C-alpha cells in the first residue's frame, strides 16, 4: 500500500542518515516540500472531502458584513474568496496545507533533527489533519508557531497566534489558558496562578456557543471518533514515558524548551482522561499535542541517557510503524477515506474538480 510504503521509506531514510546531520538537514527541505504536494494536491482523498466542498459551495454570494460576527472567520473568508474568484474547491486544500506545513517548518527548525521530527508526524498527524480535517490542520500549523513563541517567552506573539488559529478552528482557544505561563519557565507558583486565572477562561470556553455545539454533537449524541481511543491512548502512554524516563534528562540537557515538553505531556494525559467523556473531544484536543509528542520523540537520540540510548531512540519509530500498519491495513475507515490515493497536480481526473 502507498501509505505504508511511504511511511517505511521515510523512517528508513531517517535511519540511513542517523549519523549524517548535514545530509539530514539538506534532505529535510525536499521531504517537506514533497509531503506538502502529497497533501495539498490530493483528489477525493480524506474523510472530509465532501463536507468541505459543501462549505465552499455555501459561500456563494457570501455576505462579508457578517465576518466579524461568525466563528472561524478566517476560514470562511478564505472559502468565500476562492469561490468569488472562480477558483475550484481543491484550492482550499492547498491553502490549508500551506499553513500547516509552514507552521510545522517553524517548529521543526528549532529541533536538532528536523527530518526526524517531520517524518514522525506523517503517519498520524499529517494523514489525519492536512489530508482530511483541513480546518484544524491549518489551526495546528499556527499552534506550532505559537509553541515557538511560548519557548521564546513572548506572550503577546503567543496570544496573537492563538487568536489566528481560532480563526480557522475555534477549539484552538483552549491554548489561551497557557498564556499565564508563556512568560518563562513555570514553577509550582506559576502553575497555581495559571490554574486560578484559567478558571474564568475555562468557564468562558465551556459556556460559549462553540462548546454548546461540541456538547450537542459529540457528548449528547454518542458519536465516537474512529480510532480515537488508540490515538489518544498513545498520547497517554507518551506522557507516562516522558515523566518516567525522559523528564530529568531533558531538564538538564535542554532547559529552554523543557516547560513546553512537560506541559505538553500533562496535556497528553488530560486528553486521555477526556476519552470516557467523548472520544471526539479527546481526539480533537489530542491532535494539537502531537507536535509536542513528536518533539519529544525526535529529541530522544540527542539526550544523554545513561543506559539503553539506542532503545529509547528506536521506540517511537517502531511503535508508530506498528500502530500505523494495524490502522492502515485493518481499518475500514482508513480504506474508505484514503484509498485510492489520487492527485490533481497534473490536472483534475476527468476534468472534474470535485469528483461527485
Amino acid at each position: 500500500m502507498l501509505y505504508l510504503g511511504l511511511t517505511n521509506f521515510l523512517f528508513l531514510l531517517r535511519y540511513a542518515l542517523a549519523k549524517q546531520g548535514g545530509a539530514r538537514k539538506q534532505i529535510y527541505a525536499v521531504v517537506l516540500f514533497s509531503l506538502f504536494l502529497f497533501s495539498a494536491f490530493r483528489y477525493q482523498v480524506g474523510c472530509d472531502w465532501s463536507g468541505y466542498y459543501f462549505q465552499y459551495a455555501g459561500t456563494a454570494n457570501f455576505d462579508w458584513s457578517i465576518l466579524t460576527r461568525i466563528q472561524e472567520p478566517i476560514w470562511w473568508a478564505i472559502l468565500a474568496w476562492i469561490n468569488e474568484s472562480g477558483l475550484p474547491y481543491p484550492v482550499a486544500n492547498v491553502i490549508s496545507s500551506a499553513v500547516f506545513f509552514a507552521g510545522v517548518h517553524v517548529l521543526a527548525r528549532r529541533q536538532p533533527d528536523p527530518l526526524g521530527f517531520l517524518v514522525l508526524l506523517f503517519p498520524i498527524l499529517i494523514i489525519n489533519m492536512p489530508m482530511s480535517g483541513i480546518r484544524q490542520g491549518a489551526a495546528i500549523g499556527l499552534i506550532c508557531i505559537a509553541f515557538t513563541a511560548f519557548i521564546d517567552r513572548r506572550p503577546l506573539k503567543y496570544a496573537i497566534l492563538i487568536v489566528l488559529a481560532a480563526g480557522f478552528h475555534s477549539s484552538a482557544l483552549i491554548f489561551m489558558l497557557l498564556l499565564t505561563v508563556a512568560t518563562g519557565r513555570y514553577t509550582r507558583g506559576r502553575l497555581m496562578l495559571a490554574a486560578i486565572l484559567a478558571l474564568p477562561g475555562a468557564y468562558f470556553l465551556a459556556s460559549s456557543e462553540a462548546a454548546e455545539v461540541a456538547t450537542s454533537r459529540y457528548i449528547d449524541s454518542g458519536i465516537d471518533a474512529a480510532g480515537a481511543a488508540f490515538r489518544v491512548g498513545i498520547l497517554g502512554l507518551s506522557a507516562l514515558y516522558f515523566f518516567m524516563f525522559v523528564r530529568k534528562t531533558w531538564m538538564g540537557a535542554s532547559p529552554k524548551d523543557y516547560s513546553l515538553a512537560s506541559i505538553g505531556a500533562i496535556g497528553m494525559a488530560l486528553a486521555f482522561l477526556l476519552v470516557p467523556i467523548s472520544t471526539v473531544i479527546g481526539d480533537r484536543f489530542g491532535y494539537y499535542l502531537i507536535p509536542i509528542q513528536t518533539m519529544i520523540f525526535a529529541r530522544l537520540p540527542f539526550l544523554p541517557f545513561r543506559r539503553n540510548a539506542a532503545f529509547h531512540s528506536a521506540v517511537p519509530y517502531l511503535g508508530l510503524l506498528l500502530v500505523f500498519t494495524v490502522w492502515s491495513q485493518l481499518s475500514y475507515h482508513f480504506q474508505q477515506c484514503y484509498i485510492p490515493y489520487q492527485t490533481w497536480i497534473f490536472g483534475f481526473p476527468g476534468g472534474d474538480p470535485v469528483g461527485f
Side-chain angles (χ1 to χ4, degrees):
M1 180 190 293
L2 174 63
Y3 299 95
L4 186 57
L6 184 54
T7 301
N8 276 280
F9 170 77
L10 292 172
F11 284 10
L12 288 173
L13 177 65
R14 168 58 184 82
Y15 176 76
L17 300 176
K19 297 182 179 180
Q20 302 178 49
R24 286 201 308 271
K25 291 182 179 180
Q26 291 175 350
I27 200 68
Y28 161 77
V30 176
V31 175
L32 178 71
F33 186 64
S34 298
L35 289 179
F36 162 72
L37 295 179
F38 187 76
S39 169
F41 291 92
R42 59 191 167 86
Y43 178 78
Q44 278 198 310
V45 174
C47 302
D48 295 327
W49 176 270
S50 60
Y52 285 119
Y53 166 73
F54 289 118
Q55 288 188 7
Y56 162 83
T59 59
N61 302 314
F62 185 73
D63 181 3
W64 290 90
S65 67
I66 68 169
L67 205 58
T68 57
R69 303 193 302 271
I70 60 175
Q71 293 185 28
E72 290 123 9
I74 297 177
W75 173 248
W76 289 106
I78 289 172
L79 286 184
W81 173 77
I82 294 172
N83 201 325
E84 290 187 5
S85 300
L87 297 171
Y89 151 66
V91 172
N93 297 329
V94 178
I95 295 174
S96 60
S97 288
V99 176
F100 173 84
F101 282 98
V104 163
H105 173 61
V106 170
L107 185 57
R109 288 188 307 175
R110 300 295 188 94
Q111 312 310 311
D113 182 13
L115 178 63
F117 177 80
L118 179 61
V119 302
L120 284 168
L121 288 176
F122 176 71
I124 303 297
L125 187 63
I126 291 176
I127 288 181
N128 278 287
M129 288 290 104
M131 292 188 63
S132 185
I134 60 176
R135 277 194 309 123
Q136 189 174 358
I140 289 172
L142 291 167
I143 291 294
C144 284
I145 305 176
F147 287 156
T148 65
F150 186 96
I151 294 171
D152 294 338
R153 305 179 183 183
R154 300 178 64 181
L156 179 59
K157 180 180 178 181
Y158 175 84
I160 292 172
L161 287 162
I162 297 301
V163 171
L164 290 175
F168 285 94
H169 205 283
S170 58
S171 61
L173 282 174
I174 192 68
F175 286 92
M176 196 64 80
L177 303 182
L178 294 181
L179 185 60
T180 54
V181 290
T183 56
R185 180 178 174 183
Y186 73 87
T187 61
R188 288 185 179 180
R190 282 180 180 271
L191 282 180
M192 290 181 64
L193 177 63
I196 293 171
L197 295 178
L199 290 176
Y203 174 79
F204 172 77
L205 291 176
S207 59
S208 67
E209 181 182 348
E212 292 178 4
V213 172
T215 300
S216 64
R217 285 181 180 176
Y218 305 138
I219 299 178
D220 298 339
S221 67
I223 294 174
D224 289 326
F230 295 99
R231 287 189 293 270
V232 181
I234 294 171
L235 288 174
L237 290 174
S238 300
L240 182 64
Y241 172 78
F242 176 83
F243 286 112
M244 288 183 64
F245 301 107
V246 180
R247 183 181 66 86
K248 292 183 179 179
T249 305
W250 190 303
M251 186 187 299
S254 186
K256 184 175 182 180
D257 53 9
Y258 169 76
S259 295
L260 179 63
S262 55
I263 290 176
I266 293 172
M268 294 175 211
L270 293 176
F272 180 74
L273 295 177
L274 284 172
V275 170
I277 301 173
S278 168
T279 60
V280 177
I281 293 177
D283 197 36
R284 289 290 173 178
F285 175 57
Y287 279 122
Y288 287 111
L289 300 172
I290 289 179
I292 300 179
Q293 176 200 45
T294 307
M295 186 178 80
I296 294 170
F297 286 168
R299 189 69 57 87
L300 295 178
F302 302 90
L303 295 179
F305 290 105
R306 294 181 179 179
R307 293 179 296 179
N308 303 317
F311 173 77
H312 286 291
S313 300
V315 163
Y317 292 90
L318 296 176
L320 283 175
L321 182 60
L322 175 62
V323 169
F324 183 66
T325 300
V326 173
W327 178 44
S328 62
Q329 300 301 307
L330 300 181
S331 170
Y332 174 79
H333 174 266
F334 187 94
Q335 305 291 323
Q336 290 293 110
C337 292
Y338 297 103
I339 298 175
Y341 177 83
Q342 300 180 85
T343 181
W344 61 276
I345 197 167
F346 301 112
F348 294 111
D352 183 358
V354 180
F356 60 84

